[in-house]
Amino acid sequence: DSGVTQTPKHLITATGQRVTLRCSPRSGDLSVYWYQQSLDQGLQFLIQYYNGEERAKGNILERFSAQQFPDLHSELNLSSLELGDSALYFCASSPRSQSTDTQYFGPGTRLTVL
Amino acid sequence: QKEVEQDPGPLSVPEGAIVSLNCTYSNSAFQYFMWYRQYSRKGPELLMYTYSSGNKEDGRFTAQVDKSSKYISLFIRDSQPSDSATYLCAMSIFGNEKLTFGTGTRLTIIP
């Protein structure tokens, strides 16, 4: 158990809908990262927050947004969902915001868009 | 062309064999190299972390980095059925915490 929790574990929804994925980092970790894992693209970095502020952006679609709250939990919002958004979404956390920090991954949320 | 290339496998070897997993990369700015293990329906977990060219050993696992060839390897000695998982290489650039992953190699150790 990495100490990172994600809810829900599974999410099934329809095209055009909006969902929110939640992540609680390990105790004391200030950085939260979101990744998308699909069969054809592998694990892709979406976005990073550090202590409430956006730190880095990757291949995140404009339909997706995220935030980190004062208690350091983070939410990833996915809107106008398309079939191609079906994937595993992982949250990871690290103590600080340094390249040498280990990123600890949560168990993931499996999103299915029908 | 992807920044990080990894043979997706699947790779099946008998128990006790030495396993070799590899990744190549194109971005010479990568300085930090990691291997993650991902069991089915679980999140990735860090196995090995290396910074410079050369070898790093941890128990049955050895990570090797050759920056001149842009090639990294993970060796597993005395492989066990519990090593059956997907192995992902990951890399990052100094000052940038974003990890760039390979697609992963699915490994099965046959008892």
Side-chain angles (χ1 to χ4, degrees):
Chain A
D1 184 358
S2 67
V4 178
T5 60
Q6 289 186 250
T7 56
K9 281 188 180 179
H10 303 278
L11 203 46
I12 301 174
T13 188
T15 54
Q17 296 298 306
R18 172 189 168 94
V19 297
T20 297
L21 312 184
R22 183 187 168 105
C23 168
S24 292
R26 294 186 325 149
S27 177
D29 283 0
L30 299 179
S31 271
V32 169
Y33 311 78
W34 286 98
Y35 291 86
Q36 179 193 56
Q37 187 174 41
S38 59
L39 280 173
D40 56 343
Q41 293 292 321
L43 205 55
Q44 301 272 315
F45 169 75
L46 295 177
I47 197 164
Q48 177 200 359
Y49 279 81
Y50 173 70
N51 205 20
E53 300 289 325
E54 183 183 302
R55 166 84 173 160
K57 232 173 185 176
N59 303 320
I60 188 166
L61 300 170
E62 285 193 15
R63 300 184 285 109
F64 297 0
S65 64
Q67 54 184 327
Q68 186 179 29
F69 295 86
D71 67 352
L72 300 177
H73 91 271
S74 178
E75 292 181 356
L76 179 66
N77 301 296
L78 315 176
S79 61
S80 302
L81 285 167
E82 301 175 0
L83 296 177
D85 298 327
S86 296
L88 269 168
Y89 291 84
F90 287 104
C91 165
S93 74
S94 68
R96 302 156 298 181
S97 182
Q98 296 184 12
S99 310
T100 51
D101 281 356
T102 296
Q103 293 183 26
Y104 296 89
F105 283 75
T109 293
R110 182 175 295 275
L111 173 66
T112 302
V113 182
L114 301 174
Chain B
Q1 184 188 4
K2 291 184 176 180
E3 280 190 291
V4 180
E5 299 279 357
Q6 184 176 9
D7 186 340
L11 181 62
S12 295
V13 301
E15 183 176 354
I18 295 174
V19 176
S20 173
L21 304 166
N22 312 294
C23 286
T24 59
Y25 61 96
S26 57
N27 189 345
S28 57
F30 285 132
Q31 290 186 298
Y32 303 97
F33 304 91
M34 289 139 273
W35 285 95
Y36 278 82
R37 177 175 62 194
Q38 185 176 19
Y39 290 114
S40 181
R41 301 189 176 277
K42 300 284 188 183
E45 57 175 330
L46 183 67
L47 263 183
M48 299 284 287
Y49 174 98
T50 55
Y51 168 65
S52 57
S53 283
N55 292 355
K56 181 177 181 179
E57 192 173 314
D58 184 1
R60 296 185 296 111
F61 298 90
T62 299
Q64 195 173 74
V65 174
D66 182 348
K67 287 188 176 179
S68 62
S69 301
K70 297 190 182 70
Y71 188 87
I72 70 170
S73 300
L74 177 71
F75 298 96
I76 307 174
R77 289 183 301 280
D78 188 25
S79 54
Q80 305 293 311
S82 58
D83 295 328
S84 298
T86 296
Y87 289 80
L88 301 137
C89 62
M91 308 176 188
S92 65
I93 297 168
F94 177 76
N96 187 336
E97 297 77 59
K98 163 194 166 184
L99 294 180
T100 301
F101 282 87
T103 49
T105 300
R106 189 172 173 183
L107 173 67
T108 301
I109 307 299
I110 303 165

